[in-house]
Amino acid sequence: MSRDSADTGRSRRLRAALALSAVGLLAAVGTVVLPGTASAASTLGASAAERGGRYFGTAVAASRLNDSAYTTILNREFNQVTAENEMKIDATQPQQGQFTFGNADRIVQHARSRGMQVRGHTLAWHSQQPGWMQNMSGTALRNAMLNHVTQVATHFRGQIAWWDVVNEAFQDGSSGARRDSNLQRTGNDWIEAAFRAARQADPNAQLCYNDYNIDNWNDAKTQAVYRMVQDFKNRGVPIDCVGLQSHFTGGSNYPSNYRTTLSSFAALGVDVHITELDIRNAPTDAYRNVVNDCLAVARCKGITVWGIRDSDSWRSSESPLLFNGSGNKKPAYDAVLAALNNGNPGGNPTTPPPGGGGCTATITPGQVWGDRYNTSVTVSGASTWSVVVTITPPQKISGTWSGNPTWDSSGNVMTMRSNGSGNTFGFTTMMNGNSSARPQITSCTAG
Ligand code: G3I
């Protein structure tokens, strides 16, 4: 139903106007937090933590821990850390049987002493193998790989929240096949063998499979990884999570079915993590969509960006991160923080307003375009209801569905009443130049 065709009955207008007056009164008092209003944390990690205990993290390079501009942002913004290169096989076992953990330990110490969780990356991978491993094959390689998993996971036991046990083991393209590598040639069961060894070495770490180009639900690679995880769950192979690297570029962009991918993996009984996010030219829409998609899936535990400043990025010429080379926040940062602050932690319920209430309204962010975005609201606790939604001008609601809307005189406060079409209604909001504000639920009243 369009806004123009909305019920514009006099009495309803009056009630809506009264609701607006109440909002104005509360605003005038100054310190009243409206029920259902998401709190506005000022950093990424703090805001993510408020969204159901999620994290917002970054890849960290040990060599940059002496750069105070870098650590200032790291320590302020992030509550999770992944070692960008320092836990890889060539870094931790440069010579067979000789383990070096100095740089990795520095990162772990820096993070844990500040309450940041650590993701281990990565125990078994075809890439960044030290020379001695590259030259191995067969049983000797399989045993060396398992020994590496055991030794490294044991060294960090108790300090790592999630391990990327196996990284990038599937081919791109339409085959859905495993990637050919010396590890794959040791036998198709190398992945599950690595997971079992990791579980034994660190029973409390969550064990993840991590890959890129598994973001689009329709891709053969996504489907192949999905089938592997399904098979592992069916057979009791110890896997707890899937990491979607999400390096979005022109060739592999944010797919509109990303949320479907996240929720489909989650439905297998694993957590999902966005592990290496960066997006060419850091478009605000794509960053915002990624955050909204993660917040919409209860098992999406957090987001890690692959570096802090553009100058720290493995593809710095594409300026894909949230901070510029001078350490200043980019528009993508603002979009991410706003999405986190406005997001639904799998429950941003309203509490009943004085003299009313009896129901709960929960916002779920919907799709975002360049000029507008969708929002849906689900009501529980009543079958007939009215929900008051407040929009920040110059944003304007341009269309609604599955409810009867009325408006206050400013057009910024919508009262949506049930119309018998269910307990979820939705609406489209034009941004009109303000891309970060999001609707707030002011009240939910039964009857
Ligand atoms: O530190 C040495 C330096 O001493 C030397 O002079 C220089 C010359 O090449 O190399 C430096 O090491 C480089 C290292 O990054 C640190 O900058 C390596 O050559 C380079 O290969 C390495 O690249 C890393 C890449 O993985 C290797 O595969 C990137 O930093 C790292 O961001 C990237 O991360 C991967 C994830 O692990 C898995 N997913 C994809 C992601 C992006 O490729």
Side-chain angles (χ1 to χ4, degrees):
M1 178 189 292
S2 78
R3 186 194 154 179
D4 291 341
S5 64
D7 175 353
T8 52
R10 239 183 135 77
S11 62
R12 285 178 177 169
R13 270 179 175 279
L14 185 62
R15 276 201 296 273
L18 286 172
L20 178 67
S21 309
V23 171
L25 187 64
L26 290 172
V29 172
T31 54
V32 176
V33 176
L34 290 172
T37 302
S39 62
S42 60
T43 66
L44 302 171
S47 187
E50 290 178 3
R51 305 278 85 77
R54 288 179 172 86
Y55 64 82
F56 202 99
T58 180
V60 161
S63 60
R64 291 189 162 85
L65 290 177
N66 298 324
D67 172 349
S68 66
Y70 180 87
T71 53
T72 297
I73 303 172
L74 169 63
N75 299 346
R76 185 187 71 219
E77 296 288 343
F78 298 99
N79 61 354
Q80 182 273 335
V81 148
T82 304
E84 186 173 2
N85 289 300
E86 292 77 354
M87 290 188 193
K88 292 174 180 174
I89 314 172
D90 59 353
T92 49
Q93 197 181 174
Q95 306 296 330
Q96 188 167 17
Q98 290 177 17
F99 291 86
T100 52
F101 294 116
N103 284 332
D105 284 344
R106 275 185 72 203
I107 292 175
V108 171
Q109 202 277 336
H110 184 101
R112 285 175 50 81
S113 64
R114 291 166 176 80
M116 304 169 182
Q117 290 182 288
V118 181
R119 174 177 211 88
H121 174 80
T122 173
L123 294 170
W125 190 20
H126 69 277
S127 183
Q128 281 188 270
Q129 293 181 1
W132 64 265
M133 187 181 267
Q134 290 175 30
N135 294 328
M136 289 179 97
S137 62
T139 306
L141 173 60
R142 172 67 70 94
N143 289 338
M145 181 273 286
L146 293 175
N147 183 54
H148 182 83
V149 170
T150 300
Q151 297 298 326
V152 176
T154 300
H155 174 82
F156 291 108
R157 179 163 48 209
Q159 306 187 78
I160 302 291
W162 314 273
W163 264 114
D164 290 336
V165 178
V166 171
N167 196 38
E168 302 176 359
F170 281 78
Q171 261 180 38
D172 293 314
S174 58
S175 72
R178 294 280 184 89
R179 175 195 296 275
D180 180 49
S181 71
N182 59 350
L183 292 169
Q184 180 62 30
R185 275 176 253 129
T186 69
N188 211 46
D189 61 343
W190 73 276
I191 298 180
E192 60 196 83
F195 273 85
R196 292 188 204 282
R199 178 67 96 226
Q200 213 172 2
D202 188 352
N204 293 323
Q206 299 274 294
L207 306 182
C208 302
Y209 175 79
N210 190 53
D211 214 330
Y212 65 91
N213 281 353
I214 57 168
D215 314 292
N216 188 321
W217 179 238
N218 296 324
D219 283 354
K221 186 171 173 180
T222 310
Q223 292 294 314
V225 172
Y226 177 85
R227 284 193 299 275
M228 179 188 75
V229 175
Q230 188 174 44
D231 172 54
F232 281 12
K233 293 299 286 183
N234 287 341
R235 291 190 296 112
V237 177
I239 185 168
D240 306 301
C241 37
V242 173
L244 288 79
Q245 293 184 8
S246 305
H247 293 291
F248 292 128
T249 68
S252 154
N253 244 317
Y254 167 81
S256 59
N257 59 21
Y258 192 60
R259 191 179 297 188
T260 302
T261 307
L262 295 174
S263 59
S264 299
F265 276 116
L268 291 176
V270 288
D271 288 338
V272 285
H273 298 249
I274 297 167
T275 52
E276 303 182 16
L277 181 64
D278 52 17
I279 315 181
R280 179 180 293 166
N281 298 326
T284 52
D285 290 354
Y287 263 110
R288 182 186 302 113
N289 282 331
V290 169
V291 172
N292 284 338
D293 289 344
C294 181
L295 296 183
V297 176
R299 291 198 83 141
C300 182
K301 296 299 178 190
I303 298 174
T304 307
V305 285
W306 205 239
I308 297 177
R309 303 162 301 195
D310 286 332
S311 48
D312 304 317
S313 170
W314 67 298
R315 47 193 185 120
S316 55
S317 64
E318 297 178 20
S319 305
L321 296 174
L322 302 179
F323 294 86
N324 67 20
S326 308
N328 294 322
K329 296 170 181 173
K330 295 165 61 180
Y333 172 96
D334 297 331
V336 165
L337 183 61
L340 287 168
N341 277 336
N342 287 303
N344 179 348
N348 171 24
T350 61
T351 50
C359 56
T360 298
T362 304
I363 283 184
T364 302
Q367 199 167 349
V368 181
W369 297 271
D371 60 344
R372 64 195 192 284
Y373 60 90
N374 283 348
T375 304
S376 61
V377 177
T378 301
V379 178
S380 60
S383 53
T384 57
W385 37 261
S386 61
V387 175
V388 177
V389 178
T390 307
I391 302 295
T392 306
Q395 294 194 349
K396 273 276 184 279
I397 293 179
S398 60
T400 71
W401 55 91
S402 305
N404 286 333
T406 55
W407 307 85
D408 78 320
S409 53
S410 72
N412 301 324
V413 179
M414 173 178 75
T415 300
M416 182 66 95
R417 290 184 175 76
S418 48
N419 68 354
S421 61
N423 271 4
T424 297
F425 67 88
F427 53 95
T428 301
T429 309
M430 302 306 298
M431 293 174 186
N432 295 332
N434 179 345
S435 60
S436 59
R438 285 296 180 270
Q440 301 292 331
I441 303 287
T442 307
S443 65
C444 184
T445 307

